[in-house]
Amino acid sequence: AQSVTQLDSQVPVFEEAPVELRCNYSSSVSVYLFWYVQYPNQGLQLLLKYLSGSTLVKGINGFEAEFNKSQTSFHLRKPSVHISDTAEYFCAVSAGGSQGNLIFGKGTKLSVKP
Amino acid sequence: NAGVTQTPKFQVLKTGQSMTLQCAQDMNHEYMSWYRQDPGMGLRLIHYSVGAGITDQGEVPNGYNVSRSTTEDFPLRLLSAAPSQTSVYFCASSLQGAYGYTFGSGTRLTVV
């Protein structure tokens, strides 16, 4: 079975500062990794995903994430955040195939202050 | 292209009442899932389907039923609502799990 741990429940940061949201996973099989964003009172939107290949994945809105197999991590980064990045971010893992359900972490609330 | 459509957006139920949350997708996706979102808990999988006629339980299936008679629709039924089922419910669909899931906008359910 897979599991996901998001190490920070809340991350406050000032506008234009860099940010890193941490995600660790556990799995006995190869997995696919995802980051989703949820703006207030909305559904989830896919930011980026890692399936295979290059371990640095670029997504929408200037976000990127790096897959580290040895540390079983998939941290999300942005070099300079904006007020509009204020949202909740979810890391998720999928084993693919018939077991392709997403298993989510508990989320990290990013709060960008002016 | 509407994506994943959930109805209703809001619902208040009394304890013991039953209701069906509707989910429809127009992307010809085989995989569909229902999640519930509670503060501090992330999203937890209730039931899922890998194709018409095939459903299975997720992490928190008790009190919920599903069926998948068509590729497009995946309704979630609450048989006898309880206050513990107060939550935001999301339906999601995917061509395959590796492609990631497209989420609906959610149904906010309150059971009093």
Side-chain angles (χ1 to χ4, degrees):
Chain A
Q2 300 89 39
S3 66
V4 177
T5 301
Q6 291 185 243
L7 297 161
D8 305 294
S9 60
Q10 297 188 53
V11 174
V13 64
F14 287 106
E15 194 173 19
E16 298 184 4
V19 70
E20 178 180 81
L21 306 183
R22 297 180 293 168
C23 172
N24 286 91
Y25 70 93
S26 65
S27 177
S28 57
V29 298
S30 297
V31 295
Y32 306 119
L33 295 158
F34 305 84
W35 275 99
Y36 283 83
V37 60
Q38 185 180 34
Y39 299 104
N41 299 314
Q42 294 188 25
L44 278 75
Q45 180 181 2
L46 181 65
L47 267 180
L48 48 79
K49 61 185 177 184
Y50 172 79
L51 304 182
S52 64
S54 173
T55 58
L56 184 62
V57 180
K58 294 188 182 300
I60 62 172
N61 302 340
F63 284 92
E64 63 182 31
E66 185 160 17
F67 170 60
N68 187 320
K69 187 174 182 179
S70 62
Q71 298 188 7
T72 60
S73 67
F74 190 55
H75 300 334
L76 181 71
R77 302 185 182 101
K78 186 170 183 179
S80 176
V81 295
H82 303 288
I83 298 287
S84 60
D85 292 322
T86 295
E88 190 159 19
Y89 293 78
F90 292 95
C91 182
V93 63
S94 166
S98 62
Q99 301 173 56
N101 296 302
L102 290 175
I103 306 299
F104 285 89
K106 294 185 177 182
T108 298
K109 290 185 178 178
L110 176 65
S111 177
V112 181
K113 305 177 185 303
Chain B
N1 190 339
V4 179
T5 302
Q6 290 185 240
T7 56
K9 293 190 181 303
F10 302 94
Q11 184 70 48
V12 179
L13 287 179
K14 294 182 179 180
T15 298
Q17 286 185 318
S18 63
M19 79 160 294
T20 300
L21 307 185
Q22 301 292 346
C23 175
Q25 52 91 8
D26 61 358
M27 298 172 284
N28 202 31
H29 286 171
E30 291 294 328
Y31 289 68
M32 295 187 75
S33 304
W34 276 102
Y35 292 86
R36 60 177 290 173
Q37 183 180 24
D38 302 292
M41 300 294 291
L43 282 84
R44 292 180 291 170
L45 183 65
I46 304 172
H47 285 285
Y48 65 97
S49 170
V50 298
I54 306 169
T55 64
D56 206 346
Q57 297 181 351
E59 179 186 358
V60 289
N62 292 340
Y64 308 95
N65 275 357
V66 292
S67 60
R68 185 98 178 269
S69 56
T70 67
T71 299
E72 295 78 18
D73 300 300
F74 190 44
L76 178 72
R77 299 182 184 85
L78 281 70
L79 305 176
S80 178
S84 61
Q85 294 178 304
T86 294
S87 188
V88 181
Y89 291 85
F90 288 99
C91 179
S93 74
S94 177
L95 188 62
Q96 293 182 25
Y99 290 88
Y101 280 74
T102 300
F103 282 79
S105 57
T107 295
R108 187 175 295 272
L109 176 67
T110 302
V111 183
V112 298

